[in-house]
């Protein structure tokens, strides 16, 4: 079945020894496109380098909230240059993380606003990371006073949080945790996301789906996540794969033929 991984980190060192094989397994499993997300100047530059060799890998440029406090103005300039690169499909990941870096709140908020501004000016979707920070994240987005083209990546909120994201115009992307047995609240949020706003992702190497927990995640495992979504929605996995692939192609304006 045709799958687009809307959020991966294929340039993290976790894949340094077997990226080729990992990509082959993913393509064999049906993955037709990978959005490969930058988190700082180094990973952003690696994402663009990889995209030169692999036409189905699409890079983004961004500074992760957990890196915001250690980012120099020179680093910002480097990432902004990649944001303007013709192959750039999105800005981020950016956002707020009160779980891992709760002490750098003002810096994270400023970094988030700066990247929201890039996304708006460059007409690119924004990739939003939000961990234990839903209220503050939505406050910043709602404060913009306009719809936001982008995605709540690895959505981890309640059904009401999903409503807020959808009202802002955002897409909502689900990763491995939607397949975890205890995550009924997260699965309940699926019903609040319109079909044309739903995305699926690995966030690899992190957050493997049920059955692979404790291992390195990779895009060939996406069928498990798609199965969990499909069961919850009462749909077939192939339908959900096709639908989410089309949505990712639309949101990121990926130059691939929709399935
Ligand atoms: Zn990520």
């Amino acid at each position: 079945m045709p799958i687009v991984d809307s959020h991966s980190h294929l340039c993290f060192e976790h894949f340094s020894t077997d990226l080729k094989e990992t990509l082959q397994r993913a393509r064999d499993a049906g993955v037709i496109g990978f959005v490969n997300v930058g988190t700082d100047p180094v990973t952003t530059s690696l994402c663009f380098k990889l995209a030169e060799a692999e036409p189905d890998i699409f890079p983004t440029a961004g500074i992760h909230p957990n890196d915001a406090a250690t980012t120099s103005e020179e680093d910002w300039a480097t990432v902004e240059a990649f944001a303007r690169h013709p192959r750039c499909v999105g800005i981020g990941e950016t956002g707020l993380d009160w779980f891992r870096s709760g002490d750098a709140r003002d810096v994270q908020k400023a970094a988030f606003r700066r990247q929201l501004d890039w996304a708006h000016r460059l007409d690119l979707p924004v990739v939003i990371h939000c961990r234990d920070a839903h209220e503050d994240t939505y406050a910043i987005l709602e404060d913009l006073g306009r719809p936001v083209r982008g995605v709540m990546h690895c959505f981890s909120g309640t059904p009401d949080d999903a409503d807020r994201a959808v009202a802002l115009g955002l897409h909502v992307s689900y990763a491995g945790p939607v397949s975890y047995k205890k995550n009924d609240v997260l699965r309940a949020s699926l019903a609040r996301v319109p079909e044309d706003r739903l995305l699926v992702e690995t966030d690899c190497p992190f957050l493997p789906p049920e059955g692979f927990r404790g291992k390195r995640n990779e895009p060939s495992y996406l069928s498990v996540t798609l199965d969990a979504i499909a069961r919850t929605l009462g749909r077939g996995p192939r339908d959900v794969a096709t639908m989410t692939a089309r949505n990712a192609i639309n949101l990121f304006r990926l130059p691939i033929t929709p399935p």
Side-chain angles (χ1 to χ4, degrees), residues 7 9 37 64 93 153 203:
H7 191 111
H9 297 290
V37 175
H64 193 284
E93 61 185 285
H153 118 76
D203 199 17

Side-chain angles (χ1 to χ4, degrees), residues 70-227:
T70 53
T71 302
S72 67
E73 274 310 310
E74 198 185 333
D75 293 337
W76 276 101
T78 303
V79 175
E80 189 172 6
F82 283 112
R84 294 174 183 282
H85 190 288
R87 287 216 54 195
C88 185
V89 300
I91 300 297
E93 61 185 285
T94 177
L96 304 176
D97 191 323
W98 294 168
F99 178 78
R100 264 173 62 198
S101 312
D103 52 337
R105 294 195 176 202
D106 288 344
V107 187
Q108 285 194 39
K109 285 180 178 176
F112 185 25
R113 289 198 184 94
R114 191 166 177 172
Q115 290 173 86
L116 284 167
D117 186 53
W118 287 358
H120 187 53
R121 280 189 291 115
L122 297 169
D123 192 23
L124 289 168
V126 62
V127 178
I128 301 171
H129 169 107
C130 169
R131 189 144 181 219
D132 292 355
H134 281 88
E135 194 50 50
D136 291 305
T137 301
Y138 291 126
I140 286 176
L141 293 168
E142 287 162 3
D143 201 40
L144 295 170
R146 54 170 170 82
V148 186
R149 187 158 76 92
V151 54
M152 292 298 290
H153 118 76
C154 188
F155 182 71
S156 60
T158 63
D160 288 347
D161 291 325
D163 285 343
R164 270 176 101 173
V166 170
L168 278 158
L170 292 166
H171 285 60
V172 183
S173 181
Y174 290 83
V178 77
S179 67
Y180 300 171
K181 290 190 178 71
K182 284 185 180 161
N183 271 350
D184 288 329
V185 174
L186 182 60
R187 278 186 290 275
S189 71
L190 277 165
R192 308 287 187 93
V193 181
E195 281 197 356
D196 61 352
R197 300 277 195 90
L198 181 67
L199 299 179
V200 70
E201 65 173 271
T202 53
D203 199 17
C204 65
F206 312 114
L207 299 173
E210 194 65 46
F212 297 98
R213 294 180 76 172
K215 290 189 171 179
R216 180 190 71 175
N217 195 11
E218 61 170 71
S220 68
Y221 303 162
L222 270 171
S223 61
V224 180
T225 306
L226 283 162
D227 277 342

Side-chain angles (χ1 to χ4, degrees), residues 231-253:
R231 267 198 312 277
T232 307
L233 295 177
R235 303 282 298 258
R238 174 174 280 273
D239 275 3
V240 177
T242 305
M243 179 165 95
T244 53
R246 285 186 190 145
N247 294 343
I249 291 167
N250 285 337
L251 175 65
F252 293 101
R253 295 179 183 149

